[in-house]
Amino acid sequence: MTASVTSPDGTVIGFETTGDGPPMVLVHGTGADHTRWSAVKDRLARRYRLYLVDRRGRGLSRAEAPGYAIRREGEDIAAVAEAAGGDVYLLAHSYGALCALEAVRATKAVRRLVAYEPPRPEPGGAVVGPDARSRMRAAEDPEEILEIFLQEALRLPPADVEAMRGTPVWRARVAAAPTIPRELDVVENMVFDDRLGEIAVPVRLFAGTESPGYLRLAAQAVADRIPGADVVPMRGQAHQAMDFDPDQFTEAVFAFDPA
């Protein structure tokens, strides 16, 4: 079933619901939509009522107000959590984890958060160089934007990109690709500061042992700023453990919220 809420700036945020149990809001990352959770959706829905969000600018959330800012994305997620009735377990991946960190400061409807590798460049570095970002902006084919992002931001080898091309969610990734450049602009300027210390709900970071170094460092940097937060490794996995080791991923999600 699909439904929607209206964010404070007027953007309509759509989401899919499935499952039974306490509410869990799932927030996807860059170059994706709510279908990116397909490999773990059924497992999670056995324990939770899922609210699978399409972040603004794609899928069910195309009615977007002008003037992009990540703070507004936090308000979007907060609005979904409140519509879910509060007491929400928030599960967020990559850029979606940055949005979720905004959301938990905007609402009291979240009771705990798992943030899987919220991105930030290494100090003095960049997630992708200016050449790659220029090529993304100049690309007329959204598939080209996505390929540059996967290979140069996530450091995926061409064989892995080809394997992803054959998955059911590839078309959704291509459709969301035009939002990638604006989100990379946010990531390149991301600072984890003392505002994270204001977060009062339990927070756990996931980090792949095989992920690019900048993602692992960023996860630890967030955990160091939030009282009581910790980092759980996705062993043998990189930035997409939910796809390549759904058992390890879902077990770690359940372990943070024992029945």
Side-chain angles (χ1 to χ4, degrees):
M1 184 177 72
T2 61
S4 65
V5 295
T6 301
S7 197
D9 73 350
T11 296
V12 176
I13 301 299
F15 51 89
E16 177 186 316
T17 59
T18 186
D20 293 302
M24 171 180 280
V25 173
L26 295 93
V27 189
H28 63 79
T30 293
D33 67 7
H34 76 276
T35 62
R36 82 92 51 248
W37 301 102
S38 59
V40 294
K41 180 174 75 170
D42 290 345
R43 289 174 169 85
L44 296 172
R46 295 187 192 113
R47 184 177 292 194
Y48 298 99
R49 174 71 169 171
L50 304 185
Y51 294 76
L52 300 119
V53 177
D54 272 344
R55 288 180 31 243
R56 59 172 58 203
R58 74 210 75 210
L60 301 169
S61 304
R62 293 187 181 276
E64 181 180 8
Y68 180 78
I70 192 171
R71 174 184 56 80
R72 293 185 172 187
E73 293 238 39
E75 292 171 351
D76 300 344
I77 303 310
V80 176
E82 290 164 6
D87 202 30
V88 161
Y89 187 174
L90 185 55
L91 174 59
H93 177 240
S94 195
Y95 191 88
L98 295 178
C99 301
L101 290 168
E102 293 284 336
V104 294
R105 295 196 295 268
T107 182
K108 297 184 181 301
V110 175
R111 63 183 175 86
R112 66 182 56 240
L113 165 64
V114 162
Y116 186 168
E117 294 183 341
R120 182 197 68 174
E122 293 186 44
V127 171
V128 294
D131 173 67
R133 291 168 70 193
S134 294
R135 284 186 281 120
M136 286 185 196
R137 293 191 181 282
E140 297 181 0
D141 181 358
E143 194 159 2
E144 182 181 354
I145 299 172
L146 179 61
E147 289 169 351
I148 295 169
F149 170 72
L150 294 173
Q151 293 181 18
E152 302 198 32
L154 299 188
R155 321 285 204 259
L156 295 180
D160 285 2
V161 176
E162 285 303 311
M164 291 176 66
R165 197 189 306 276
T167 64
V169 300
W170 181 258
R171 185 176 298 177
R173 287 184 174 276
V174 171
T179 65
I180 291 175
R182 73 182 187 186
E183 293 177 8
L184 280 177
D185 287 346
V186 173
V187 170
E188 297 292 356
N189 294 289
M190 181 55 57
V191 175
F192 297 145
D193 57 23
D194 291 343
R195 293 191 309 146
L196 292 175
E198 301 168 4
I199 295 175
V201 300
V203 176
R204 175 160 289 174
L205 284 296
F206 287 177
T209 59
E210 308 307 309
S211 290
Y214 78 90
L215 288 172
R216 289 183 278 110
L217 287 171
Q220 188 62 58
V222 172
D224 289 344
R225 292 280 188 178
I226 300 174
D230 60 4
V231 181
V232 167
M234 295 288 103
R235 300 199 179 278
Q237 297 300 312
H239 197 54
Q240 293 131 331
M242 66 280 283
D243 299 319
F244 298 111
D245 194 346
D247 288 336
Q248 178 182 189
F249 178 83
T250 53
E251 287 168 8
V253 171
F254 292 156
F256 192 46
D257 189 35

